[in-house]
Amino acid sequence: MTDEEKRFARFYSGGQVVKFGRDIAEMGIARDAEYRLAGLGRNESGRQIVRLADEQGRIIRWDPRSTRPRQVNVFEQGERDLATGDRVQWRLANKELDLKNAERGTVEKLHESIATIRWDRDARTKTVDLSIHKTWDHGYAETVYSSQSKTYARVYVLAPMGSSLVNGQNFYTAITRARFGVKLWTEDRDRLAEKLKRNSGEKTSSLEGLGRLDRDSPRSVMERHGEKLRRQRIDQEIQRLERRERLRSTNPRSRAEALSLPEKLAGRARSVTEQMEALLRSFIERDRPTPEPTHHEGDHHKRGQDR
């Protein structure tokens, strides 16, 4: 189940076993204990909830939205045949056994529920009571994602046409895990080739997906809104200059100096006018086309004489 599915009671079904990553004292839920799904129900406000049964048969009414999804692990309970030489995969991190999720190993010895397993990570051998530690499965297959950086003598790839995970990058990762040979299973070889061409698997940003990068580039924006932006800049500069002069005129010290020094006030007004004219002139000159240089024979001759 995805984290989003874990938040809603409607995605839970009979036969599942739920384990929690932390204690929930107010509900009497213990970390790492097993709780069998007994059914669904509704609380006082009408919200759908999950009914869990602990090992003593006590029923706990649990609202999945009250617990962080990462603290919830959901398993399908089932029977598995196991023999010496079988490959197994651990499905939940276990501190007691020092095992990580998806860790793989080979069964070297088996006596009733006690299995001696040699783990691939560091070739260490550990004895595990499978009647207590039940979160394992056969480990003959793995996802492309978990196979990254690994190498096997031979690889068998399942590429169903209906899977969204079948794309160019995943296909390349899968077939390059093999040292000697690869075998591929799919419904239609030609359709698979076309699908791999269409779906490269390369990640793109949301802006690229919406075609926004070219449309929102500075050059494209100036082509569409250049004149409007230039007018806005002129208006903003005029407002800035006017606001500066208003602040000067309302300042008591400046006003006293202005009354005693009228020439200073006139000079400031003239300075503002000159700045505005210079600003307007710069925008006009920017938009004016540059004239081509004109050459005169007499000028060339005269410059030649000067040299």
Side-chain angles (χ1 to χ4, degrees):
M1 296 173 68
T2 65
D3 283 351
E4 189 64 21
E5 289 173 337
K6 291 177 185 178
R7 296 180 62 248
F8 298 97
R10 64 177 180 273
F11 291 107
Y12 291 80
S13 59
Q16 292 177 333
V17 174
V18 182
K19 297 184 74 172
F20 295 86
R22 68 178 183 87
D23 296 336
I24 307 178
E26 63 272 20
M27 302 187 67
I29 290 177
R31 175 180 178 178
D32 292 334
E34 294 184 1
Y35 296 89
R36 180 177 52 83
L37 196 141
L40 303 179
R42 295 191 179 275
N43 60 14
E44 295 77 10
S45 60
R47 175 179 290 180
Q48 197 171 32
I49 60 170
V50 175
R51 297 170 60 245
L52 300 174
D54 63 11
E55 296 176 354
Q56 288 74 39
R58 180 175 64 96
I59 299 298
I60 300 172
R61 296 165 60 83
W62 171 62
D63 184 356
R65 296 191 184 188
S66 65
T67 309
R68 294 176 58 186
R70 292 190 177 183
Q71 299 292 341
V72 179
N73 298 286
V74 185
F75 297 91
E76 293 288 346
Q77 190 172 12
E79 298 292 331
R80 295 287 188 273
D81 292 329
L82 193 63
T84 301
D86 279 354
R87 295 281 293 167
V88 294
Q89 177 180 196
W90 210 253
R91 301 306 301 163
L92 183 65
N94 189 307
K95 291 184 178 180
E96 180 182 347
L97 300 176
D98 189 24
L99 292 174
K100 299 178 180 179
N101 184 28
E103 194 160 349
R104 284 175 162 75
T106 303
V107 178
E108 292 193 340
K109 197 181 297 183
L110 187 65
H111 178 68
E112 295 182 349
S113 64
I114 308 298
T116 302
I117 304 172
R118 182 175 298 278
W119 299 100
D120 296 348
R121 174 162 50 114
D122 49 12
R124 63 193 171 95
T125 300
K126 183 174 287 292
T127 300
V128 181
D129 187 346
L130 299 181
S131 66
I132 298 175
H133 303 287
K134 304 175 183 178
T135 55
W136 63 274
D137 202 351
H138 286 132
Y140 291 102
E142 60 184 324
T143 63
V144 174
Y145 180 82
S146 62
S147 71
Q148 294 182 83
S149 77
K150 299 177 183 177
T151 303
Y152 301 97
R154 288 177 175 78
V155 171
Y156 304 89
V157 181
L158 178 63
M161 291 298 301
S163 173
S164 60
L165 298 177
V166 177
N167 56 55
Q169 285 196 345
N170 283 347
F171 183 79
Y172 177 79
T173 302
I175 63 176
T176 53
R177 300 308 93 200
R179 186 182 294 112
F180 302 119
V182 178
K183 286 189 176 182
L184 173 70
W185 277 264
T186 187
E187 298 94 325
D188 190 311
R189 183 174 60 184
D190 295 333
R191 284 176 56 206
L192 175 65
E194 289 298 322
K195 182 173 183 178
L196 295 178
K197 289 179 182 179
R198 292 194 311 269
N199 302 330
S200 67
E202 294 181 358
K203 294 182 178 180
T204 58
S205 69
S206 57
L207 292 180
E208 289 175 323
L210 295 172
R212 292 286 298 275
L213 289 184
D214 292 335
R215 194 169 73 232
D216 293 347
S217 66
R219 180 181 299 175
S220 178
V221 171
M222 286 303 297
E223 288 176 355
R224 298 196 311 271
H225 308 294
E227 185 62 29
K228 180 181 178 181
L229 293 174
R230 280 192 289 272
R231 290 200 196 98
Q232 289 178 348
R233 277 199 290 270
I234 292 173
D235 293 340
Q236 288 174 358
E237 187 63 25
I238 292 173
Q239 291 173 7
R240 190 178 298 114
L241 293 173
E242 291 176 346
R243 185 164 56 250
R244 190 183 303 164
E245 284 306 310
R246 281 198 302 271
L247 290 174
R248 286 177 179 174
S249 63
T250 55
N251 187 295
R253 181 178 177 183
S254 298
R255 187 165 56 247
E257 292 178 354
L259 292 174
S260 61
L261 300 171
E263 293 85 3
K264 189 174 181 180
L265 180 59
R268 286 179 179 173
R270 184 168 58 254
S271 175
V272 172
T273 304
E274 290 173 352
Q275 291 180 28
M276 293 173 60
E277 288 180 354
L279 179 65
L280 293 171
R281 192 179 300 111
S282 67
F283 283 107
I284 294 172
E285 292 295 334
R286 184 186 304 171
D287 296 334
R288 180 179 297 170
T290 305
E292 297 183 358
T294 306
H295 301 284
H296 301 284
E297 294 182 2
D299 293 343
H300 283 291
H301 180 68
K302 190 174 182 178
R303 285 196 294 271
Q305 288 179 347
D306 294 339
R307 288 194 295 271

